[in-house]
Amino acid sequence: MVYQIKTIGNNIDQKGLSELGDQFAIDQVTEEKAHAFLCRAQNFHTYKFSENLLAIGRAGAGFNNIPVEQCSSQGIVVFNAPGGNANAVKELVLAMMIFGSRNLKPANKWLSEQLGSDQAIDLAVEKGKKAFSGSEIAGKTIGIIGLGNIGSRVANDAEKLGMKVIGYDPYIAVERAWEISSHVKRVTQLSDIFEQADYITIHTPLTKETRGMYGAENFAKMKKGVVVLNFARDEITDKDAVLEYINNGTIQHFATDFGSEKFYHQDAIFVTPHLGGSTAEASLNCTRMAANSLKRYLMTGEIINSVNFPRVVQELNSPYRITLINKNVPNVVANIAALVSEQSINIANIVNRGQGEFAYTLLDLDESNADKIDALVDQFKANENIVRVRVIQR
Ligand SMILES: NC(=O)C1=CN([C@@H]2O[C@H](COP(=O)(O)OP(=O)(O)OC[C@H]3O[C@@H](n4cnc5c(N)ncnc54)[C@H](O)[C@@H]3O)[C@@H](O)[C@H]2O)C=CC1
Ligand SMILES: O=C(O)C(=O)COP(=O)(O)O
């Protein structure tokens, strides 16, 4: 079987796709006929997914561009590439902190307005540069909201650069907690970040809680002269609040990865065009990770790095594996077992894991008779609690 992968958009790293191998064809069919999409931040919220679509690989971290609940209910597994671009974002954030502290944007603008001979410019520079004297990050306090793949790296490197680091993350993953330097102080109140930090950076997904987190309520708690960064998601920022707190002298510099006309032509604001994850290394990492997850899912039914289904890893030693995406309701597993038994088939292995409203079931069968497998598949397809059925032959 050849699996049809459709890349969406033009910024998928081509080298990363070589992971897929011979059993995969890239961009040979229309979106309608593809088994899987591989994408970056393109918005899928208005998409109508075809019944042929089994999976979406997001070659990046954030997946708010994908209607995940709709995908779950259509039996589409969504994968992302956790950590694949974290170093890229971390480097840009550290650069932007220093960029802001040293007034490089207004300084560069002022310099480009100095005309004449090099000697004349030199004279103007030595006279005028004191207006752009900045401050150093060493010894200052950075407050980090979200200590995941990116936030934990920012925390550790900021500490190495001599900063005092405080972090807020009520949902921190155990693996990340282990990776973070013991010098990083965890705070349990978001207000501690806004009250204590000289630099504030956010590295969370866009959620109900984080939407508008950079807004007047939290900004009112900030110290004067703070540098604020948003390289997470646009909707975290209330733009009018940023302008208000720049104008009243609280925010010295605001750096964001998300463009808005409101932010152009402002000396205290530096905007990058969503470049956080845009390095050669990150693009390759993320495409490789997403491609590998798609390959594993399509070929073996195993799920790793999915955002809407649990991790399920199980070696296939039987002639057939049936994978089911089913509603996470009582008795489904018993019904599945009953349908298998009606066909007089023996179950070699069954794994069923739920996540929210849906669950994933791997059913390995001690049966080589294709007709019996087909009959069972028909039964599963007719079951109202089962939304997706696939057969994988060893
Ligand atoms: N500008 C860019 O190009 C990029 C932006 N991003 C954005 O950054 C976000 C974070 O990326 P990663 O660190 O890789 O994700 P991650 O999933 O490793 O970490 C996110 C962290 O945020 C924490 N969190 C969730 N809700 C929170 C809340 N209300 N308050 C405090 N912490 C909270 C989680 O517990 C987790 O530790 C992504 O979701 C994406 O939106 C990610 C990569 C590139
Ligand atoms: O990984 C993320 O969440 C990002 O925002 C990066 O998006 P991109 O892959 O550069 O379109």
Side-chain angles (χ1 to χ4, degrees):
M1 155 129 202
V2 171
Y3 294 101
Q4 297 291 343
I5 308 288
K6 187 82 186 155
T7 61
I8 310 289
N10 60 2
N11 52 2
I12 292 291
D13 187 285
Q14 295 302 306
K15 262 192 277 162
L17 292 174
S18 59
E19 295 287 309
L20 287 168
D22 296 346
Q23 271 183 275
F24 291 80
I26 317 287
D27 292 335
Q28 300 295 310
V29 295
T30 59
E31 286 175 13
E32 178 77 23
K33 293 201 172 130
H35 295 112
F37 289 170
L38 198 53
C39 66
R40 288 184 62 168
Q42 289 82 7
N43 187 346
F44 286 96
H45 285 276
T46 53
Y47 253 67
K48 281 219 175 316
F49 297 115
S50 139
E51 279 190 7
N52 296 317
L53 192 71
L54 301 171
I56 299 176
R58 167 31 171 146
F63 48 88
N64 58 306
N65 55 319
I66 300 170
V68 173
E69 281 176 27
Q70 183 194 329
C71 288
S72 303
S73 61
Q74 283 187 240
I76 298 167
V77 182
V78 181
F79 299 92
N80 73 344
N85 54 18
N87 189 63
V89 181
K90 174 206 77 183
E91 288 188 5
L92 188 59
V93 164
L94 293 175
M96 287 295 110
M97 276 167 47
I98 297 170
F99 185 88
S101 304
R102 302 299 288 268
N103 300 313
L104 297 185
K105 183 176 174 186
N108 181 263
K109 185 174 157 228
W110 174 82
L111 183 57
S112 64
E113 287 159 0
Q114 308 308 307
L115 305 174
S117 66
D118 287 1
Q119 213 177 8
I121 291 174
D122 191 41
L123 268 175
V125 162
E126 293 314 322
K127 202 171 153 206
K129 73 179 183 187
K130 64 176 179 298
F132 307 105
S133 178
S135 50
E136 298 178 25
I137 61 169
K140 305 293 184 324
T141 299
I142 179 172
I144 305 173
I145 305 165
L147 295 166
N149 282 291
I150 300 169
S152 62
R153 284 169 168 83
V154 173
N156 288 345
D157 285 7
E159 195 236 317
K160 285 187 201 136
L161 291 168
M163 302 187 83
K164 292 179 199 137
V165 186
I166 56 175
Y168 170 79
D169 189 334
Y171 316 109
I172 190 166
V174 179
E175 304 92 290
R176 296 292 91 71
W178 276 104
E179 284 163 9
I180 295 173
S181 158
S182 57
H183 298 289
V184 172
K185 188 176 154 208
R186 272 188 69 199
V187 294
T188 52
Q189 301 295 322
L190 181 62
S191 55
D192 290 338
I193 297 284
F194 287 96
E195 283 163 11
Q196 295 173 29
D198 304 298
Y199 294 80
I200 299 173
T201 186
I202 185 159
H203 300 291
T204 64
L206 177 68
T207 64
K208 276 189 208 133
E209 275 181 290
T210 62
R211 184 181 291 272
M213 199 174 250
Y214 277 180
E217 194 186 331
N218 288 321
F219 285 173
K221 299 172 185 147
M222 295 191 302
K223 299 203 240 178
K224 205 171 162 55
V226 65
V227 172
V228 182
L229 303 101
N230 177 10
F231 285 76
R233 279 295 175 266
D234 190 24
E235 297 87 340
I236 287 169
T237 300
D238 173 342
K239 297 182 179 85
D240 293 327
V242 169
L243 295 173
E244 183 189 338
Y245 279 79
I246 284 174
N247 290 334
N248 73 17
T250 305
I251 297 179
Q252 183 220 319
H253 185 82
F254 182 73
T256 178
D257 211 9
F258 309 99
S260 166
E261 275 189 29
K262 286 190 179 180
F263 285 168
Y264 301 160
H265 315 297
Q266 294 274 345
D267 278 355
I269 301 182
F270 193 73
V271 190
T272 43
H274 197 186
L275 287 181
S278 289
T279 63
E281 294 85 349
S283 301
L284 180 59
N285 275 345
C286 289
T287 306
R288 273 198 179 137
M289 287 175 79
N292 269 322
S293 298
L294 288 178
K295 179 177 179 177
R296 197 156 167 177
Y297 176 62
L298 294 173
M299 292 185 69
T300 72
E302 290 181 326
I303 295 183
I304 47 159
N305 292 336
S306 168
V307 302
N308 59 339
F309 285 94
R311 180 185 169 88
V312 177
V313 174
Q314 173 74 51
E315 207 181 319
L316 174 60
N317 294 314
S318 311
Y320 281 98
R321 163 170 288 174
I322 296 182
T323 74
L324 305 169
I325 291 176
N326 53 275
K327 292 183 190 158
N328 199 5
V329 291
N331 283 328
V332 172
V333 177
N335 286 337
I336 290 169
L339 291 171
V340 177
S341 138
E342 269 174 33
Q343 297 295 330
S344 309
I345 295 175
N346 186 40
I347 297 177
N349 228 321
I350 180 165
V351 183
N352 169 274
R353 291 211 181 109
Q355 182 168 316
E357 285 179 38
F358 290 87
Y360 185 63
T361 306
L362 277 189
L363 190 60
D364 292 348
L365 302 170
D366 270 340
E367 181 58 70
S368 307
N369 183 328
D371 291 340
K372 281 171 82 175
I373 298 291
D374 285 349
L376 180 60
V377 165
D378 287 344
Q379 297 275 354
F380 286 148
K381 284 187 175 163
N383 188 300
E384 58 176 12
N385 287 324
I386 297 176
V387 296
R388 178 77 76 177
V389 185
R390 288 177 61 214
V391 180
I392 293 164
Q393 195 174 2
R394 190 155 78 103

